Amino acid sequence: QSMNRLLFRLLYYPIVSALKFVNVVKPRTYMKWYVCLLRKSGMNINGMPRYISSDAYFDNFSAITLSERTVISKQCVFLTHDYSPTTAFFTPPIDEKLIKTDARKDGCITIAENVFIGLRVTILPNTVIGRNCIIGACAVVKGTIPEGSVVVGNPAKVICSIEDYKKKCMQCVDKMI
């Protein structure tokens, strides 16, 4: 199985590169093919996402669940593991029992329906983003994001509800008309 995974990884990146061209010419076709590729790589996809950038990075496909109407912008990172405990375990004085310990912590990422994830967002292990959320550019997200939230920053924080954001957007539209 590890050989199959390695072979798939070797083929995955050239296929994604070819899909980038398809995205320029026929974006809907790109999405159909890319979603199919992500599913084949083990990602759990419920329904059809609206858009997933081909340069988003997915650490472990099988630990990620995406839902209907998800948008994932360019250069987003989905991390499903954390090796930082290794540094703590190997800081002097070193406990000999910990030398053989794999300090890796694994987690899952779940994105609910109708979520927009902005440019360069990083999503850390064990994160659940509720329905109808907007995650602002460059946010670093961890934990549970409540349904109907607008989230920005590092660390990511809820700044308003989706309804408040909608009202602000409508005011801007009214001023333009």
Side-chain angles (χ1 to χ4, degrees):
Q1 185 180 1
S2 63
M3 188 60 135
N4 286 344
R5 186 175 172 167
L6 175 64
L7 184 61
F8 185 83
R9 277 285 181 172
L10 289 173
L11 293 173
Y12 175 82
Y13 293 105
I15 293 169
V16 170
S17 293
L19 284 175
K20 287 180 182 188
F21 173 74
V22 175
N23 187 24
V24 172
V25 179
K26 290 195 162 215
R28 289 179 194 236
T29 303
Y30 155 80
M31 270 306 295
K32 287 179 190 173
W33 290 356
Y34 192 42
V35 167
C36 181
L37 178 65
L38 292 172
R39 283 185 173 129
K40 287 235 183 269
S41 39
M43 190 177 291
N44 305 304
I45 300 177
N46 305 316
M48 186 63 175
R50 287 187 66 211
Y51 182 77
I52 302 172
S53 176
S54 60
D55 66 357
Y57 175 76
F58 302 104
D59 183 37
N60 176 359
F61 295 105
S62 61
I64 299 168
T65 301
L66 301 178
S67 298
E68 184 83 19
R69 295 187 49 77
T70 300
V71 173
I72 299 173
S73 301
K74 291 183 177 211
Q75 300 174 356
C76 291
V77 176
F78 288 67
L79 286 179
T80 60
H81 77 280
D82 179 6
Y83 270 109
S84 64
T86 304
T87 301
F89 289 165
F90 294 101
T91 302
I94 298 173
D95 184 340
E96 293 300 319
K97 291 180 280 184
L98 295 176
I99 298 237
K100 296 178 183 169
T101 303
D102 182 10
R104 176 181 170 144
K105 294 189 310 186
D106 292 310
C108 295
I109 296 172
T110 302
I111 311 296
E113 301 85 17
N114 198 37
V115 172
F116 176 87
I117 300 172
L119 179 77
R120 292 186 179 156
V121 168
T122 300
I123 301 178
L124 299 176
N126 298 316
T127 296
V128 177
I129 299 176
R131 296 173 59 221
N132 304 319
C133 287
I134 296 173
I135 311 298
C138 299
V140 178
V141 185
K142 177 149 179 67
T144 301
I145 305 301
E147 182 176 315
S149 299
V150 177
V151 176
V152 298
N154 178 5
K157 291 187 170 90
V158 176
I159 59 163
C160 66
S161 72
I162 198 79
E163 287 302 318
D164 290 341
Y165 183 73
K166 184 177 176 181
K167 288 175 190 171
K168 288 177 190 176
C169 290
M170 292 306 292
Q171 288 172 356
C172 292
V173 169
D174 289 342
K175 288 179 184 176
M176 286 192 274
I177 296 176

